[in-house]
Amino acid sequence: RGRAPGAEGARGVSEARLAALRAPLAPIEADAWVVGGSLRDALLGRPVADLDVAVAGDAEAAARALARHHGAGRFRLSRDFGAWRVHGGALPFTVDLTPLQGGSLGADLARRDLTVNAMALAAGPGAPEVVDPHGGRGDLAARRLRPVGPTSLADDPVRVVRMARLAAQLGFVADPGAVALARAAAPRLPRVPPERVMEELRRIAALATPAAALAGLDALGGLGALVPELEQARGMDQSAYHHKDVLGHTLEVVEHCAGIAADPEPVFMAGSAPRIRERLAEPLADGLTRGQALVFTALMHDMAKPATRAVTPEGRVTFWHHDRLGAGMADAWCRAMHTSGRLREAVARGVRHHLDLGFMVHRQPLSLARMDRFLRSVAPDEVEALVLSAADRLATDGPRTTPDQIRRHLVLAREVMRAHWALVDRGPVRPPLDGAALVRLLGRPPGPWLQDLLDATREAQLMGRVTTPAQAERFARAWEARRASVA
């Protein structure tokens, strides 16, 4: 049996890892240093895909030399900061090169956010040595997040969000002083360019544990600063069917959504799990997959509860229409954060329909036509709607909730999910008579009635009652006669 590596062995592994970071940078003639998260992750033994390099001098010339040597591509990242990116070819990393900020390596590192990100590794020849003026290696060993200086977070409040993300991503803890500085800086987050905040929030959504990062952000005062409705939800009690306040429930729904996206089988059974996982891994918008975008929908799904909370004369807590109002609030939040229209629409649509499946639980068993009606109402986010509904139900387990209530909801979610895949496999349901033919048949000008008739015909097709043009004609005449008699 081999012995565990001692200090010398660990040092050798570390030096080899650092040498692997430096080797591709040999073509750079100017003084340059690997800095930031890439060095931090290498020291932690985490995989490194991107290198941040600080260059003393002309970053463009360094990028040109690096690209020429490795047969890679290059492009400018920022005119303001003189940053360049080199990637592809024989390069094992994507390399971002930026001129030293402040005129020297010491000044550059002093401007950084956290000590674990304020170390440097010289890219030139010689033994790999880490420049560590702020005690970053000690904080790595202690698994601690600590700002470089007393104004590091106030200088750039986005760093509050980053600190919460890194704590969850690395399993680190912010020291008490860092928490105090973060809580002082967090109220300024709404004044930061929203694109920069969204970049960090997208990274949180991509974590395996986004709820932990959002809870950490809340502890630093950042979540309520970015979503004031969630601050109003803190401590807001709900009905006896809930076991947490609105904010706690919201974070638990995020947790369940991420858990289902990672492993759908415990909730949706083995038959649907691979397809759910594949669907949620598809790109949606803004660099997010469908599953990652669902984190934002879950975070916003009850944001209108503070605005709609009421108590009936019998003492029952209600939140009537918080789904409708919340959809508008989510839309406004996404607009303020300058998200894409596609992400904004998906989030608002998910919030608007997050209660719909629950309203159907007491109508079981459902016909295929009724399930199809629901699926069309939430399209094209059918899978996300079902996952969110299941997560919402799992996070609603108060003293009046029975195991059977949760079971019936999840059984329905599974049935509708199976119906969704069956309809996908069946392919488009094309009407035997199109809209123009129905207009001629009934002698009516086109209007909202036509879509209602097409929907009714589709449901009759799904139930096997309409399969031919002749049957569609008889169905349309009977439908029109019923409509006329009611009118």
Side-chain angles (χ1 to χ4, degrees):
R1 182 183 300 177
R3 294 182 300 172
E8 289 299 322
R11 186 179 302 115
V13 172
S14 177
E15 289 185 359
R17 190 179 297 121
L18 297 181
L21 296 187
R22 302 166 68 205
L25 305 178
I28 299 176
E29 297 181 357
D31 289 338
W33 294 266
V34 178
V35 294
S38 50
L39 178 55
R40 177 201 69 223
D41 286 347
L43 290 170
L44 287 172
R46 294 170 57 86
V48 176
D50 307 307
L51 287 190
D52 295 318
V53 177
V55 181
D58 187 351
E60 180 179 3
R64 189 183 309 116
L66 197 63
R68 184 168 53 244
H69 180 86
H70 292 285
R74 63 185 174 91
F75 61 90
R76 188 189 298 273
L77 280 177
S78 167
R79 289 188 179 276
D80 293 339
F81 294 99
W84 285 78
R85 173 167 291 175
V86 182
H87 66 108
L91 266 176
F93 311 104
T94 294
V95 181
D96 290 346
L97 304 104
T98 306
L100 283 175
Q101 303 300 301
S104 69
L105 179 62
D108 183 287
L109 296 179
R111 291 184 175 199
R112 294 181 178 270
D113 51 3
L114 304 169
T115 61
V116 296
N117 294 333
M119 298 178 284
L121 174 69
E129 292 186 6
V130 175
V131 180
D132 181 19
H134 303 287
R137 295 197 81 164
D139 287 334
L140 281 181
R143 307 186 72 78
R144 176 175 58 224
L145 296 178
R146 189 167 54 87
V148 169
T151 66
S152 296
L153 302 183
D155 290 344
D156 184 1
V158 171
R159 293 170 171 178
V160 175
V161 188
R162 187 178 305 140
M163 189 161 72
R165 172 176 63 83
L166 288 175
Q169 182 177 338
L170 303 176
F172 282 24
V173 175
D175 76 3
V179 172
L181 291 173
R183 294 191 68 84
R188 296 180 55 225
L189 272 168
R191 298 199 290 273
V192 173
E195 294 86 354
R196 296 190 60 232
V197 176
M198 278 302 299
E199 180 181 356
E200 284 296 334
L201 291 178
R202 286 195 299 270
R203 291 180 178 181
I204 285 177
L207 294 177
T209 56
L214 292 170
L217 180 60
D218 182 54
L220 299 178
L223 186 60
L226 292 172
V227 191
E229 294 85 356
L230 295 183
E231 184 61 39
Q232 298 164 18
R234 186 187 309 281
M236 178 169 286
D237 64 307
Q238 306 189 73
S239 71
Y241 292 100
H242 290 79
H243 62 292
K244 291 187 176 180
D245 67 357
V246 176
L247 177 58
H249 165 78
T250 295
L251 294 175
E252 189 170 339
V253 173
V254 173
E255 181 180 6
H256 283 300
C257 281
I260 294 172
D263 184 10
E265 186 169 334
V267 174
F268 286 98
M269 304 292 103
S272 293
R275 299 183 77 168
I276 295 171
R277 189 182 296 109
E278 181 180 351
R279 176 65 170 173
L280 295 181
E282 291 178 1
L284 176 71
D286 297 18
L288 296 166
T289 66
R290 287 183 169 276
Q292 292 162 359
L294 187 56
V295 169
F296 290 96
T297 309
L299 187 65
M300 306 289 165
H301 83 284
D302 277 349
M303 68 189 303
K305 277 190 171 179
T308 57
R309 187 180 187 276
V311 181
T312 69
E314 298 78 22
R316 185 165 65 93
V317 177
T318 65
F319 300 98
W320 292 111
H321 306 307
H322 75 274
D323 49 345
R324 298 178 190 174
L325 182 61
M329 288 179 167
D331 181 280
W333 188 88
C334 289
R335 289 179 187 275
M337 299 303 290
H338 297 179
T339 74
S340 68
R342 191 174 185 189
L343 177 61
R344 170 172 52 81
E345 290 165 5
V347 171
R349 188 164 49 242
V351 173
R352 173 65 183 86
H353 293 289
H354 80 272
L355 296 177
D356 292 4
L357 188 74
F359 291 147
M360 296 159 57
V361 171
H362 301 294
R363 301 175 187 171
Q364 297 184 73
L366 299 181
S367 67
L368 178 60
R370 182 66 187 85
M371 289 189 277
D372 176 66
R373 201 176 311 155
F374 165 79
L375 290 166
R376 284 186 287 120
S377 73
V378 299
D381 311 317
E382 300 94 338
V383 172
E384 294 95 312
L386 291 166
V387 169
L388 177 61
S389 183
D392 197 11
R393 175 71 266 190
L394 289 169
T396 307
D397 191 13
R400 293 193 61 184
T401 299
T402 67
D404 185 63
Q405 289 170 331
I406 297 176
R407 182 193 63 79
R408 292 182 66 201
H409 192 113
L410 296 184
V411 165
L412 178 61
R414 292 169 195 148
E415 289 177 352
V416 178
M417 186 70 80
R418 284 193 294 268
H420 167 62
W421 296 123
L423 289 167
V424 169
D425 293 339
R426 178 173 177 165
V429 179
R430 304 190 186 284
L433 296 177
D434 62 16
L438 291 171
V439 166
R440 290 194 300 271
L441 175 69
L442 300 180
R444 297 183 60 190
W449 68 269
L450 181 56
Q451 187 60 55
D452 293 342
L453 175 54
L454 287 170
D455 289 343
T457 303
R458 174 190 171 92
E459 293 177 4
Q461 288 177 266
L462 292 175
M463 302 302 291
R465 294 197 293 265
V466 170
T467 59
T468 66
Q471 289 173 332
E473 181 176 333
R474 288 194 295 272
F475 179 86
R477 291 188 184 281
W479 183 90
E480 172 66 4
R482 287 194 300 272
R483 187 203 64 80
S485 66
V486 171

